[in-house]
PDB file of all heavy atoms in Angstrom:
ATOM      1  N   VAL C   3      20.472  13.125 -28.875  1.00 98.00           N
ATOM      2  CA  VAL C   3      19.906  13.665 -27.630  1.00 98.00           C
ATOM      3  C   VAL C   3      20.092  12.659 -26.513  1.00 98.00           C
ATOM      4  O   VAL C   3      19.808  11.483 -26.692  1.00 98.00           O
ATOM      5  CB  VAL C   3      18.386  13.980 -27.834  1.00 98.00           C
ATOM      6  CG1 VAL C   3      17.757  14.375 -26.511  1.00 98.00           C
ATOM      7  CG2 VAL C   3      18.164  15.022 -28.888  1.00 98.00           C
ATOM      8  N   ALA C   4      20.570  13.133 -25.383  1.00 98.00           N
ATOM      9  CA  ALA C   4      20.685  12.302 -24.172  1.00 98.00           C
ATOM     10  C   ALA C   4      19.854  13.004 -23.104  1.00 98.00           C
ATOM     11  O   ALA C   4      19.957  14.235 -22.913  1.00 98.00           O
ATOM     12  CB  ALA C   4      22.139  12.162 -23.734  1.00 98.00           C
ATOM     13  N   VAL C   5      19.057  12.231 -22.407  1.00 98.00           N
ATOM     14  CA  VAL C   5      18.188  12.764 -21.339  1.00 98.00           C
ATOM     15  C   VAL C   5      18.411  11.922 -20.103  1.00 98.00           C
ATOM     16  O   VAL C   5      18.435  10.684 -20.175  1.00 98.00           O
ATOM     17  CB  VAL C   5      16.696  12.718 -21.720  1.00 98.00           C
ATOM     18  CG1 VAL C   5      15.819  13.209 -20.589  1.00 98.00           C
ATOM     19  CG2 VAL C   5      16.418  13.515 -22.974  1.00 98.00           C
ATOM     20  N   SER C   6      18.563  12.586 -18.945  1.00 98.00           N
ATOM     21  CA  SER C   6      18.631  11.844 -17.687  1.00 98.00           C
ATOM     22  C   SER C   6      17.830  12.602 -16.671  1.00 98.00           C
ATOM     23  O   SER C   6      17.692  13.842 -16.685  1.00 98.00           O
ATOM     24  CB  SER C   6      20.080  11.671 -17.203  1.00 98.00           C
ATOM     25  OG  SER C   6      20.671  12.953 -16.930  1.00 98.00           O
ATOM     26  N   VAL C   7      17.259  11.871 -15.708  1.00 98.00           N
ATOM     27  CA  VAL C   7      16.467  12.426 -14.634  1.00 98.00           C
ATOM     28  C   VAL C   7      17.009  11.880 -13.299  1.00 98.00           C
ATOM     29  O   VAL C   7      17.104  10.663 -13.151  1.00 98.00           O
ATOM     30  CB  VAL C   7      14.970  12.095 -14.771  1.00 98.00           C
ATOM     31  CG1 VAL C   7      14.182  12.733 -13.652  1.00 98.00           C
ATOM     32  CG2 VAL C   7      14.461  12.509 -16.111  1.00 98.00           C
ATOM     33  N   THR C   8      17.389  12.803 -12.410  1.00 96.00           N
ATOM     34  CA  THR C   8      17.883  12.387 -11.106  1.00 96.00           C
ATOM     35  C   THR C   8      17.158  13.138 -10.031  1.00 96.00           C
ATOM     36  O   THR C   8      16.573  14.183 -10.259  1.00 96.00           O
ATOM     37  CB  THR C   8      19.417  12.639 -10.994  1.00 96.00           C
ATOM     38  OG1 THR C   8      19.624  14.035 -11.213  1.00 96.00           O
ATOM     39  CG2 THR C   8      20.201  11.818 -11.988  1.00 96.00           C
ATOM     40  N   ALA C   9      17.248  12.610  -8.805  1.00 94.00           N
ATOM     41  CA  ALA C   9      16.658  13.309  -7.653  1.00 94.00           C
ATOM     42  C   ALA C   9      17.583  14.448  -7.233  1.00 94.00           C
ATOM     43  O   ALA C   9      18.786  14.338  -7.278  1.00 94.00           O
ATOM     44  CB  ALA C   9      16.494  12.350  -6.474  1.00 94.00           C
ATOM     45  N   GLU C  10      16.949  15.548  -6.895  1.00 85.00           N
ATOM     46  CA  GLU C  10      17.691  16.699  -6.372  1.00 85.00           C
ATOM     47  C   GLU C  10      17.560  16.670  -4.859  1.00 85.00           C
ATOM     48  O   GLU C  10      16.504  16.983  -4.325  1.00 85.00           O
ATOM     49  CB  GLU C  10      17.115  17.995  -6.949  1.00 85.00           C
ATOM     50  CG  GLU C  10      17.741  19.247  -6.394  1.00 85.00           C
ATOM     51  CD  GLU C  10      19.243  19.355  -6.732  1.00 85.00           C
ATOM     52  OE1 GLU C  10      19.732  18.674  -7.623  1.00 85.00           O
ATOM     53  OE2 GLU C  10      19.912  20.154  -6.081  1.00 85.00           O
ATOM     54  N   LEU C  11      18.613  16.208  -4.160  1.00 68.00           N
ATOM     55  CA  LEU C  11      18.570  16.085  -2.732  1.00 68.00           C
ATOM     56  C   LEU C  11      18.732  17.481  -2.082  1.00 68.00           C
ATOM     57  O   LEU C  11      19.348  18.355  -2.667  1.00 68.00           O
ATOM     58  CB  LEU C  11      19.626  15.130  -2.245  1.00 68.00           C
ATOM     59  CG  LEU C  11      19.452  13.711  -2.751  1.00 68.00           C
ATOM     60  CD1 LEU C  11      20.628  12.834  -2.319  1.00 68.00           C
ATOM     61  CD2 LEU C  11      18.154  13.107  -2.256  1.00 68.00           C
ATOM     62  N   PRO C  12      18.152  17.656  -0.874  1.00 60.00           N
ATOM     63  CA  PRO C  12      18.282  18.977  -0.249  1.00 60.00           C
ATOM     64  C   PRO C  12      19.758  19.286   0.041  1.00 60.00           C
ATOM     65  O   PRO C  12      20.566  18.389   0.248  1.00 60.00           O
ATOM     66  CB  PRO C  12      17.489  18.824   1.054  1.00 60.00           C
ATOM     67  CG  PRO C  12      17.146  17.389   1.180  1.00 60.00           C
ATOM     68  CD  PRO C  12      17.444  16.687  -0.105  1.00 60.00           C
ATOM     69  N   PRO C  13      20.090  20.589   0.074  1.00 59.00           N
ATOM     70  CA  PRO C  13      21.474  20.994   0.334  1.00 59.00           C
ATOM     71  C   PRO C  13      21.912  20.542   1.741  1.00 59.00           C
ATOM     72  O   PRO C  13      21.096  20.540   2.679  1.00 59.00           O
ATOM     73  CB  PRO C  13      21.455  22.499   0.203  1.00 59.00           C
ATOM     74  CG  PRO C  13      20.059  22.904   0.311  1.00 59.00           C
ATOM     75  CD  PRO C  13      19.217  21.737  -0.095  1.00 59.00           C
ATOM     76  N   THR C  14      23.187  20.203   1.901  1.00 54.00           N
ATOM     77  CA  THR C  14      23.684  19.811   3.204  1.00 54.00           C
ATOM     78  C   THR C  14      24.299  21.000   3.919  1.00 54.00           C
ATOM     79  O   THR C  14      24.444  20.988   5.112  1.00 54.00           O
ATOM     80  CB  THR C  14      24.753  18.692   3.093  1.00 54.00           C
ATOM     81  OG1 THR C  14      25.761  19.162   2.214  1.00 54.00           O
ATOM     82  CG2 THR C  14      24.125  17.435   2.555  1.00 54.00           C
ATOM     83  N   ASP C  15      24.660  22.042   3.201  1.00 49.00           N
ATOM     84  CA  ASP C  15      25.247  23.242   3.807  1.00 49.00           C
ATOM     85  C   ASP C  15      24.105  24.113   4.306  1.00 49.00           C
ATOM     86  O   ASP C  15      23.347  24.680   3.542  1.00 49.00           O
ATOM     87  CB  ASP C  15      26.096  24.008   2.816  1.00 49.00           C
ATOM     88  CG  ASP C  15      26.688  25.269   3.401  1.00 49.00           C
ATOM     89  OD1 ASP C  15      26.629  25.426   4.667  1.00 49.00           O
ATOM     90  OD2 ASP C  15      27.222  26.075   2.667  1.00 49.00           O
ATOM     91  N   ARG C  16      23.961  24.190   5.589  1.00 43.00           N
ATOM     92  CA  ARG C  16      22.842  24.929   6.184  1.00 43.00           C
ATOM     93  C   ARG C  16      23.318  26.274   6.781  1.00 43.00           C
ATOM     94  O   ARG C  16      22.607  26.823   7.593  1.00 43.00           O
ATOM     95  CB  ARG C  16      22.178  24.088   7.244  1.00 43.00           C
ATOM     96  CG  ARG C  16      21.705  22.754   6.665  1.00 43.00           C
ATOM     97  CD  ARG C  16      20.707  22.113   7.577  1.00 43.00           C
ATOM     98  NE  ARG C  16      20.414  20.757   7.195  1.00 43.00           N
ATOM     99  CZ  ARG C  16      19.723  20.388   6.162  1.00 43.00           C
ATOM    100  NH1 ARG C  16      19.267  21.258   5.319  1.00 43.00           N
ATOM    101  NH2 ARG C  16      19.479  19.128   5.908  1.00 43.00           N
ATOM    102  N   GLY C  17      24.484  26.745   6.384  1.00 46.00           N
ATOM    103  CA  GLY C  17      24.947  28.039   6.866  1.00 46.00           C
ATOM    104  C   GLY C  17      25.569  27.962   8.234  1.00 46.00           C
ATOM    105  O   GLY C  17      25.930  26.870   8.704  1.00 46.00           O
ATOM    106  N   PRO C  18      25.704  29.109   8.936  1.00 48.00           N
ATOM    107  CA  PRO C  18      26.363  29.101  10.229  1.00 48.00           C
ATOM    108  C   PRO C  18      25.580  28.316  11.265  1.00 48.00           C
ATOM    109  O   PRO C  18      24.367  28.205  11.191  1.00 48.00           O
ATOM    110  CB  PRO C  18      26.417  30.598  10.610  1.00 48.00           C
ATOM    111  CG  PRO C  18      25.493  31.286   9.645  1.00 48.00           C
ATOM    112  CD  PRO C  18      25.264  30.385   8.484  1.00 48.00           C
ATOM    113  N   ALA C  19      26.295  27.772  12.210  1.00 47.00           N
ATOM    114  CA  ALA C  19      25.663  26.990  13.270  1.00 47.00           C
ATOM    115  C   ALA C  19      24.779  27.853  14.128  1.00 47.00           C
ATOM    116  O   ALA C  19      25.149  28.980  14.493  1.00 47.00           O
ATOM    117  CB  ALA C  19      26.735  26.344  14.153  1.00 47.00           C
ATOM    118  N   PRO C  20      23.579  27.393  14.472  1.00 46.00           N
ATOM    119  CA  PRO C  20      22.682  28.163  15.306  1.00 46.00           C
ATOM    120  C   PRO C  20      23.194  28.216  16.741  1.00 46.00           C
ATOM    121  O   PRO C  20      24.056  27.439  17.138  1.00 46.00           O
ATOM    122  CB  PRO C  20      21.356  27.407  15.213  1.00 46.00           C
ATOM    123  CG  PRO C  20      21.698  26.058  14.709  1.00 46.00           C
ATOM    124  CD  PRO C  20      23.009  26.156  13.995  1.00 46.00           C
ATOM    125  N   ARG C  21      22.628  29.134  17.571  1.00 48.00           N
ATOM    126  CA  ARG C  21      23.095  29.315  18.930  1.00 48.00           C
ATOM    127  C   ARG C  21      22.865  28.046  19.738  1.00 48.00           C
ATOM    128  O   ARG C  21      23.696  27.618  20.508  1.00 48.00           O
ATOM    129  CB  ARG C  21      22.356  30.472  19.591  1.00 48.00           C
ATOM    130  CG  ARG C  21      22.858  31.760  19.058  1.00 48.00           C
ATOM    131  CD  ARG C  21      22.182  32.901  19.741  1.00 48.00           C
ATOM    132  NE  ARG C  21      21.985  33.912  18.713  1.00 48.00           N
ATOM    133  CZ  ARG C  21      21.189  34.948  18.782  1.00 48.00           C
ATOM    134  NH1 ARG C  21      20.479  35.120  19.881  1.00 48.00           N
ATOM    135  NH2 ARG C  21      21.088  35.801  17.829  1.00 48.00           N
ATOM    136  N   ASP C  22      21.690  27.431  19.604  1.00 47.00           N
ATOM    137  CA  ASP C  22      21.367  26.211  20.341  1.00 47.00           C
ATOM    138  C   ASP C  22      21.665  25.023  19.418  1.00 47.00           C
ATOM    139  O   ASP C  22      20.779  24.390  18.888  1.00 47.00           O
ATOM    140  CB  ASP C  22      19.901  26.239  20.784  1.00 47.00           C
ATOM    141  CG  ASP C  22      19.564  25.065  21.709  1.00 47.00           C
ATOM    142  OD1 ASP C  22      20.467  24.224  21.932  1.00 47.00           O
ATOM    143  OD2 ASP C  22      18.413  24.994  22.152  1.00 47.00           O
ATOM    144  N   ALA C  23      22.951  24.706  19.298  1.00 44.00           N
ATOM    145  CA  ALA C  23      23.386  23.699  18.322  1.00 44.00           C
ATOM    146  C   ALA C  23      22.813  22.341  18.636  1.00 44.00           C
ATOM    147  O   ALA C  23      22.480  21.587  17.737  1.00 44.00           O
ATOM    148  CB  ALA C  23      24.918  23.629  18.297  1.00 44.00           C
ATOM    149  N   GLU C  24      22.677  21.995  19.905  1.00 47.00           N
ATOM    150  CA  GLU C  24      22.191  20.656  20.267  1.00 47.00           C
ATOM    151  C   GLU C  24      20.750  20.467  19.806  1.00 47.00           C
ATOM    152  O   GLU C  24      20.410  19.471  19.176  1.00 47.00           O
ATOM    153  CB  GLU C  24      22.286  20.443  21.768  1.00 47.00           C
ATOM    154  CG  GLU C  24      21.998  19.025  22.195  1.00 47.00           C
ATOM    155  CD  GLU C  24      22.259  18.823  23.666  1.00 47.00           C
ATOM    156  OE1 GLU C  24      23.366  19.204  24.126  1.00 47.00           O
ATOM    157  OE2 GLU C  24      21.364  18.330  24.348  1.00 47.00           O
ATOM    158  N   ALA C  25      19.880  21.447  20.036  1.00 45.00           N
ATOM    159  CA  ALA C  25      18.478  21.325  19.653  1.00 45.00           C
ATOM    160  C   ALA C  25      18.364  21.324  18.129  1.00 45.00           C
ATOM    161  O   ALA C  25      17.621  20.572  17.557  1.00 45.00           O
ATOM    162  CB  ALA C  25      17.661  22.453  20.250  1.00 45.00           C
ATOM    163  N   SER C  26      19.135  22.204  17.487  1.00 42.00           N
ATOM    164  CA  SER C  26      19.028  22.323  16.049  1.00 42.00           C
ATOM    165  C   SER C  26      19.554  21.080  15.354  1.00 42.00           C
ATOM    166  O   SER C  26      19.033  20.638  14.342  1.00 42.00           O
ATOM    167  CB  SER C  26      19.841  23.520  15.550  1.00 42.00           C
ATOM    168  OG  SER C  26      19.170  24.687  15.946  1.00 42.00           O
ATOM    169  N   THR C  27      20.616  20.448  15.894  1.00 43.00           N
ATOM    170  CA  THR C  27      21.118  19.216  15.304  1.00 43.00           C
ATOM    171  C   THR C  27      20.064  18.123  15.309  1.00 43.00           C
ATOM    172  O   THR C  27      19.876  17.419  14.355  1.00 43.00           O
ATOM    173  CB  THR C  27      22.401  18.765  16.051  1.00 43.00           C
ATOM    174  OG1 THR C  27      23.365  19.792  15.974  1.00 43.00           O
ATOM    175  CG2 THR C  27      22.956  17.472  15.472  1.00 43.00           C
ATOM    176  N   ALA C  28      19.330  18.023  16.402  1.00 44.00           N
ATOM    177  CA  ALA C  28      18.254  17.055  16.479  1.00 44.00           C
ATOM    178  C   ALA C  28      17.179  17.321  15.468  1.00 44.00           C
ATOM    179  O   ALA C  28      16.645  16.429  14.808  1.00 44.00           O
ATOM    180  CB  ALA C  28      17.686  16.996  17.886  1.00 44.00           C
ATOM    181  N   GLU C  29      16.817  18.635  15.310  1.00 46.00           N
ATOM    182  CA  GLU C  29      15.795  19.007  14.355  1.00 46.00           C
ATOM    183  C   GLU C  29      16.223  18.721  12.927  1.00 46.00           C
ATOM    184  O   GLU C  29      15.459  18.194  12.114  1.00 46.00           O
ATOM    185  CB  GLU C  29      15.441  20.479  14.488  1.00 46.00           C
ATOM    186  CG  GLU C  29      14.721  20.833  15.770  1.00 46.00           C
ATOM    187  CD  GLU C  29      14.625  22.328  16.007  1.00 46.00           C
ATOM    188  OE1 GLU C  29      14.995  23.097  15.091  1.00 46.00           O
ATOM    189  OE2 GLU C  29      14.196  22.696  17.109  1.00 46.00           O
ATOM    190  N   VAL C  30      17.488  19.038  12.600  1.00 43.00           N
ATOM    191  CA  VAL C  30      17.996  18.797  11.266  1.00 43.00           C
ATOM    192  C   VAL C  30      18.016  17.290  11.009  1.00 43.00           C
ATOM    193  O   VAL C  30      17.628  16.814   9.936  1.00 43.00           O
ATOM    194  CB  VAL C  30      19.373  19.422  11.101  1.00 43.00           C
ATOM    195  CG1 VAL C  30      20.083  18.903   9.849  1.00 43.00           C
ATOM    196  CG2 VAL C  30      19.287  20.935  11.079  1.00 43.00           C
ATOM    197  N   GLY C  31      18.474  16.500  11.967  1.00 44.00           N
ATOM    198  CA  GLY C  31      18.511  15.050  11.799  1.00 44.00           C
ATOM    199  C   GLY C  31      17.119  14.481  11.556  1.00 44.00           C
ATOM    200  O   GLY C  31      16.958  13.623  10.679  1.00 44.00           O
ATOM    201  N   ALA C  32      16.126  14.967  12.260  1.00 42.00           N
ATOM    202  CA  ALA C  32      14.772  14.484  12.069  1.00 42.00           C
ATOM    203  C   ALA C  32      14.251  14.877  10.669  1.00 42.00           C
ATOM    204  O   ALA C  32      13.608  14.113   9.988  1.00 42.00           O
ATOM    205  CB  ALA C  32      13.825  15.035  13.146  1.00 42.00           C
ATOM    206  N   ALA C  33      14.569  16.114  10.273  1.00 43.00           N
ATOM    207  CA  ALA C  33      14.119  16.569   8.942  1.00 43.00           C
ATOM    208  C   ALA C  33      14.786  15.747   7.853  1.00 43.00           C
ATOM    209  O   ALA C  33      14.114  15.351   6.890  1.00 43.00           O
ATOM    210  CB  ALA C  33      14.428  18.053   8.757  1.00 43.00           C
ATOM    211  N   GLU C  34      16.099  15.466   7.994  1.00 45.00           N
ATOM    212  CA  GLU C  34      16.783  14.652   6.985  1.00 45.00           C
ATOM    213  C   GLU C  34      16.248  13.245   6.940  1.00 45.00           C
ATOM    214  O   GLU C  34      16.169  12.643   5.869  1.00 45.00           O
ATOM    215  CB  GLU C  34      18.293  14.661   7.242  1.00 45.00           C
ATOM    216  CG  GLU C  34      18.901  15.985   6.860  1.00 45.00           C
ATOM    217  CD  GLU C  34      20.395  16.036   7.223  1.00 45.00           C
ATOM    218  OE1 GLU C  34      20.889  15.173   7.941  1.00 45.00           O
ATOM    219  OE2 GLU C  34      21.036  16.996   6.776  1.00 45.00           O
TER     220      GLU C  34
END
């Protein structure tokens, strides 16, 4: 038996770019 535990990082693919890309980029950066 081999067991490993790793962190599951949030996905980086967030789908299509939002209309207000500048504001959303700042929000995503802060969340990350």
Side-chain angles (χ1 to χ4, degrees):
V3 174
V5 177
S6 64
V7 182
T8 58
E10 175 63 17
L11 298 176
T14 55
D15 179 11
R16 303 197 190 288
R21 288 182 217 165
D22 187 357
E24 189 174 309
S26 290
T27 301
E29 290 170 8
V30 167
E34 287 176 347

